[in-house]
């Protein structure tokens, strides 16, 4: 995209004014360096396409980790009017409610360093991962229906976790609009066998430690201190969510014609929120959201089992859920629009909710600080815990970046990794790695990603989040 | 009929930041659909060791040929992931603007003999291209990884 189209409107904020079919501007969050990279990619054009969709409010947004997606850019955020707006599977993605959970151990790295390899091996044995690998939890279709209605609550009811987990999950681990009746038989079939599985690609489990504290008061509120052992879970709704999106696209394509919605990209197929087609997608999508909440809850349980095996019972093996965020989702939320509180449908695709201080949806223990925002980096560098801000509420419908974002295609990464032992290179830096597939290791190496620190700095620069702590990886498990 | 083989000369890769995009050329629409199926298979599995032990009939319908292409590859992805199959041969037996019938040959996944390389979350419409000019068919499809 031509850089000349961009106008800088604030520190780390750029705008493409509405023109042509755009109903609102496109607004991009990036440092000078990141905006140059974004212009080499198609993400800005995709944000412009989103800006042309009916009922969009304020602007089509792209977070600092933006990159070329399909339909919406990855890092895309857009809010739509509930009466005049649309809902689009292209604004949610195939891996519905892909997300991250951060858990904190009472153990310190200094006391546990010699156990990290054993812990990684235990996780590798306990948590099913890799392509097409089935779950260790048996569900039939009747049980799956309950899971789709109740999300993480289903898992806690079944003994996979504790009630305190639910308080620290976005939406308490359940969306109430799930409708299993509109889910296809094929999606049900894909969903039955995959609960408690990590999957492949960029999904991971990571054992790390708090490496640097930027805001001691906020870190204390989140229960995080320097040297503390942490774990992160990154996965989503598995084949169930992929199928829900797949099923929706042809129906939404027809709906777009039926409701005379001009689509600049077929992958932006959509339907009015209030239409039967829109309601059908929302019911199935929310069921997939709940599937992912349950999946991460079961994996958290398997994490706890692994800690118990390595560190013994009692307090040592406690893992407290710090927070869990969704990355790929469309949700109804209240936001100020032209000074008036309004219920809108916020699409976040490769973006994280980042509600500011005193928001009622932030857990009480964190409310004075703001919502914890979890930003995993690549497997060889670091990750961040940020806090949502009032500025995010004003500028981005309470949204922020979701990760480092890829900088290199998978093929290019494979070429760069050829002949190298990436796991050995990481071990030299003190990071252990296990993966089911060697190809995944090459594709996911650090050089294939943007520098997460730059992405996070871009969020701070524009004020949409602030840094609380940095996490250093110690052991990483990939599918 | 198109058989699975390593690095066929008619298959290309388009660089994409996050996902996997393949491009194929052929001298008929049927061969193009078969070759795109080979391209899909080479993304998800190492072709070595996959044998034509069983066959399955596949039938898909869509509103247009682009939609048909997405449905065809999505069907193979579903069979691969849910029925745990890998494929070695593709024979498109009937193809119109809105319907495709095919016979696919292969076998159930045996992890002792088959290496699974990657997971395709979905076959997308993004960047999709299907063209026919001067006797040559070209197709491009992007897989969400």
């Amino acid at each position: 995209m031509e850089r000349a189209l961009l106008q800088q409107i604030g520190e780390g904020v750029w705008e493409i004014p509405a023109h042509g079919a755009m109903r609102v501007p496109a607004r991009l969050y990036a440092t000078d360096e990141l905006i140059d990279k974004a212009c080499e990619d198609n993400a800005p054009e995709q944000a412009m396409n989103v800006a042309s969709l009916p009922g969009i409010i304020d602007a089509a947004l792209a977070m600092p980790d933006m990159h070329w997606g399909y339909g919406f850019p990855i890092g895309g955020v857009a809010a739509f009017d509930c009466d005049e707006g649309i809902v689009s599977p292209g604004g949610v993605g195939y891996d519905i409610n892909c997300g991250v959970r951060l858990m904190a151990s009472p153990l310190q790295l200094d006391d546990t360093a010699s156990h990290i390899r054993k812990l990684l091996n235990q996780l590798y044995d306990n948590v099913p991962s890799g392509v097409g690998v089935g779950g260790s939890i048996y569900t039939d279709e009747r049980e799956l229906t309950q899971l789709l209605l109740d999300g993480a609550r289903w898992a806690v009811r079944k003994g996979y976790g504790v009630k305190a987990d639910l308080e620290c999950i976005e939406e308490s681990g359940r969306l109430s609009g799930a409708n299993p009746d509109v889910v296809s038989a094929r999606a049900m079939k894909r969903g039955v066998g995959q609960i408690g599985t990590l999957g492949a690609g960029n999904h991971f489990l990571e054992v790390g430690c708090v490496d640097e504290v930027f805001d001691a008061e906020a870190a204390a509120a989140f229960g995080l201190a320097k040297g503390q052992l942490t774990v992160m879970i990154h996965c989503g709704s598995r084949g169930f969510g992929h199928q829900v999106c797949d099923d929706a696209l042809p129906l939404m394509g027809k709906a777009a014609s039926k409701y005379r919605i001009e689509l600049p990209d077929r992958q932006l197929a959509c339907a009015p929120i209030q239409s039967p087609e829109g309601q059908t997608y929302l019911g199935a999508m929310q069921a997939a959201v709940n599937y992912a909440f349950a999946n991460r809850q079961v994996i958290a349980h398997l994490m706890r089992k692994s800690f118990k095996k390595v560190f013994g019972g009692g307090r040592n093996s406690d893992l407290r859920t710090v927070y869990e965020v969704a990355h790929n989702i469309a949700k109804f939320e209240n936001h100020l629009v032209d000074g008036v509180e309004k219920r809108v449908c916020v699409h976040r695709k490769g973006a994280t909710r980042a509600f500011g201080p005193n928001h009622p949806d932030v857990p009480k223990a964190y409310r004075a600080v703001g919502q914890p925002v979890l930003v995993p980096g690549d497997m060889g560098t670091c990750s961040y815990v940020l806090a949502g801000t009032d500025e995010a509420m004003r500028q981005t419908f309470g949204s922020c970046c979701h990760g480092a974002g890829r900088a290199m295609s998978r093929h290019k990464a494979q070429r760069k990794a050829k002949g190298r032992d990436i796991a050995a290179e990481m071990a030299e830096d003190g990071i252990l790695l296990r993966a089911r597939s060697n190809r995944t290791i090459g594709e996911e190496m650090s050089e294939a990603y943007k520098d997460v620190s730059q992405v996070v700095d871009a969020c701070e620069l524009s004020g949409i989040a602030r840094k609380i702590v940095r996490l250093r990886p110690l052991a990483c498990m990939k599918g | 009929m198109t058989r699975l083989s390593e690095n066929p000369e008619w298959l290309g890769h388009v660089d994409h930041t996050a996902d996997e995009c393949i491009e194929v050329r052929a001298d008929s629409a049927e061969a193009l659909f078969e070759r795109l199926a080979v391209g899909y298979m080479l993304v998800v599995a190492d072709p070595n060791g996959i044998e034509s032990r069983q066959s399955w009939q596949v039938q898909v319908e869509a509103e247009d040929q682009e939609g048909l292409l997405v449905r065809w590859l999505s069907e193979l992805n579903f069979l691969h992931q849910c029925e745990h199959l890998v494929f070695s041969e593709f024979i498109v037996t009937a193809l119109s603007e809105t319907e495709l019938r095919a016979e696919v040959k292969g076998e159930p996944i045996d992890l002792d003999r088959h290496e699974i390389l990657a997971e395709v979350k979905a076959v997308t419409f993004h960047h999709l291209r299907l063209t026919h000019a001067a006797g040559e068919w070209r197709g491009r499809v992007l897989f969400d990884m």
Side-chain angles (χ1 to χ4, degrees):
Chain A
M1 195 204 70
E2 280 183 40
R3 176 93 191 246
L5 273 177
L6 285 171
Q7 296 174 1
Q8 185 159 13
I9 60 165
E11 285 283 342
V13 192
W14 310 75
E15 195 166 274
I16 304 167
H19 65 280
M22 292 167 71
R23 296 166 194 257
V24 293
R27 201 174 297 145
L28 317 176
Y29 287 78
T31 56
D32 287 4
E33 197 176 338
L34 287 175
I35 202 72
D36 285 339
K37 282 184 188 162
C39 288
E40 292 166 14
D41 202 44
N42 279 16
E45 275 95 344
Q46 290 189 317
M48 287 160 64
N49 288 342
V50 173
S52 74
L53 294 173
I56 186 165
I57 297 170
D58 186 35
L61 307 170
M63 300 296 108
D65 50 342
M66 73 185 94
H67 61 85
W68 195 8
Y70 33 85
F72 277 50
I74 309 298
V77 176
F80 292 87
D81 184 281
C82 287
D83 296 320
E84 291 166 14
I86 55 88
V87 61
S88 172
V92 176
Y94 282 97
D95 197 359
I96 297 167
N97 191 10
C98 181
V100 178
R101 176 182 293 207
L102 175 69
M103 302 173 88
S105 159
L107 297 167
Q108 291 286 308
L109 172 62
D110 291 348
D111 307 326
T112 54
S114 60
H115 290 72
I116 300 299
R117 182 173 293 282
K118 192 175 171 192
L119 180 60
L120 177 61
N121 290 340
Q122 196 63 50
L123 290 172
Y124 197 75
D125 289 345
N126 279 6
V127 183
S129 68
V131 180
V133 172
S136 53
I137 307 294
Y138 176 76
T139 49
D140 56 19
E141 285 209 5
R142 197 171 146 205
E143 199 66 67
L144 182 58
T145 303
Q146 277 307 308
L147 178 155
L148 299 179
L149 290 168
D150 292 340
R153 289 186 203 179
W154 171 88
V156 169
R157 209 166 53 234
K158 291 285 170 187
Y160 307 121
V162 292
K163 277 189 181 166
D165 289 333
L166 303 176
E167 292 164 20
C168 291
I169 305 175
E170 185 172 335
E171 300 291 337
S172 303
R174 174 184 183 260
L175 286 185
S176 60
N179 182 2
D181 292 343
V182 296
V183 171
S184 71
R186 189 162 271 210
M188 294 296 278
K189 185 168 181 179
R190 291 180 83 164
V192 159
Q194 290 191 321
I195 276 292
T197 64
L198 188 65
N202 64 354
H203 294 157
F204 65 80
L205 300 180
E206 188 174 285
V207 181
C209 70
V210 178
D211 181 42
E212 188 166 354
V213 174
F214 302 103
D215 181 329
E217 202 177 318
F222 291 168
L224 297 171
K226 190 161 182 176
Q228 190 175 2
L229 217 57
T230 57
V231 294
M232 258 194 301
I233 302 166
H234 177 222
C235 63
S237 50
R238 310 287 292 112
F240 182 87
H242 311 164
Q243 191 66 45
V244 164
C245 183
D246 233 0
D247 292 337
L249 280 171
L251 301 176
M252 298 301 251
K254 282 182 194 165
S257 308
K258 179 177 163 187
Y259 298 106
R260 294 181 183 162
I261 300 169
E262 291 275 331
L263 294 180
D265 174 352
R266 197 166 176 173
Q267 205 70 41
L268 282 175
C270 59
I273 289 168
Q274 300 302 340
S275 68
E277 296 88 344
Q279 290 296 308
T280 296
Y281 171 66
L282 280 164
M285 185 268 293
Q286 290 179 92
V289 165
N290 288 345
Y291 187 100
F293 280 140
N295 193 34
R296 284 191 292 272
Q297 183 64 44
V298 171
I299 292 177
H301 168 76
L302 299 174
M303 275 278 196
R304 286 177 170 138
K305 268 178 78 172
S306 305
F307 263 68
K308 199 170 178 181
K309 188 96 176 170
V310 174
F311 297 112
R315 196 174 168 271
N316 273 352
S317 57
D318 279 352
L319 280 177
R320 178 181 61 86
T321 298
V322 177
Y323 205 64
E324 179 178 312
V325 291
H327 287 164
N328 289 351
I329 203 162
K331 268 187 358 199
F332 294 97
E333 296 172 353
N334 293 334
H335 288 277
L336 281 180
V337 178
D338 298 329
V340 179
E341 187 166 291
K342 192 170 177 172
R343 196 142 184 85
V344 297
C345 181
V346 183
H347 291 58
R348 294 191 183 96
K349 183 180 180 185
T352 304
R353 196 184 78 174
F355 280 178
N358 303 316
H359 195 288
D361 289 350
V362 176
K364 275 185 193 159
Y366 308 152
R367 205 164 284 168
V369 176
Q371 180 208 304
V373 178
L374 314 175
V375 185
D378 61 79
M379 63 188 183
T381 54
C382 61
S383 299
Y384 287 87
V385 180
L386 315 179
T389 61
D390 291 332
E391 205 53 49
M393 301 310 293
R394 275 193 288 273
Q395 291 189 36
T396 59
F397 299 97
S399 309
C400 185
C401 66
H402 86 307
R406 286 193 77 89
M408 197 185 283
S409 74
R410 289 169 196 275
H411 276 278
K412 199 169 174 187
Q414 280 173 38
R415 285 197 296 274
K416 280 231 167 196
K418 205 169 181 181
R420 287 166 57 183
D421 186 343
I422 301 293
E425 289 175 21
M426 287 176 64
E428 274 180 27
D429 293 333
I431 305 163
L432 305 176
L433 174 66
R434 283 200 75 178
R436 305 271 172 205
S437 152
N438 280 331
R439 185 160 127 177
T440 299
I441 293 176
E443 289 177 358
E444 293 294 315
M445 67 178 180
S446 288
E447 293 143 82
Y449 282 85
K450 288 179 198 159
D451 179 355
V452 69
S453 298
Q454 272 190 22
V455 169
V456 163
D457 287 346
C459 292
E460 274 211 324
L461 184 66
S462 56
I464 57 174
R466 60 196 184 91
K467 289 193 277 194
I468 307 301
V469 304
R470 187 176 65 199
L471 308 173
R472 176 162 64 89
L474 303 168
C476 185
M477 172 181 150
K478 288 273 188 185
Chain B
M1 185 265 283
T2 307
R3 203 185 295 272
L4 195 61
S5 60
E6 268 183 295
N7 304 318
E9 46 84 25
W10 38 258
L11 173 68
H13 293 273
V14 181
D15 250 15
H16 185 276
T17 322
D19 296 314
E20 187 86 41
C21 188
I22 59 165
E23 229 169 19
V24 158
R25 52 198 160 72
D27 56 11
S28 71
E30 288 81 359
L32 188 82
F33 275 66
E34 290 171 358
R35 288 179 171 187
L36 283 161
V38 167
Y40 157 76
M41 208 58 227
L42 291 173
V43 168
V44 298
D46 186 318
N48 292 305
I50 303 176
E51 295 174 11
S52 303
R53 295 187 180 188
Q54 288 174 251
S55 75
W56 296 268
Q57 300 298 320
V58 174
Q59 183 178 352
V60 289
E61 292 174 17
E63 277 197 319
D64 55 30
Q65 221 162 33
E66 285 190 347
L68 203 57
L69 174 56
V70 171
R71 294 256 57 85
W72 158 236
L73 298 179
S74 298
E75 186 67 17
L76 297 177
N77 196 39
F78 175 78
L79 292 169
H80 166 63
Q81 289 188 5
C82 294
E83 306 296 340
H84 308 291
L85 306 176
V86 279
F87 306 113
S88 52
E89 285 178 55
F90 305 90
I91 307 141
V92 172
T93 52
L95 180 64
S96 71
E97 279 294 308
T98 57
E99 189 181 350
L100 174 145
R101 287 183 204 177
E103 180 185 8
V104 296
K105 294 183 181 177
E107 59 177 323
I109 296 172
D110 173 353
L111 289 175
D112 290 334
R113 292 190 298 112
H114 303 139
E115 189 187 356
I116 305 301
L117 299 171
E119 182 176 65
V120 166
K121 287 180 187 165
V123 183
T124 77
F125 282 96
H126 183 64
H127 240 41
L128 189 75
R129 189 182 287 172
L130 205 52
T131 58
H132 176 213
E136 185 176 71
W137 285 79
R138 282 177 179 262
R140 183 175 66 191
V141 66
L142 185 135
F143 302 111
D144 180 17
M145 308 299 285

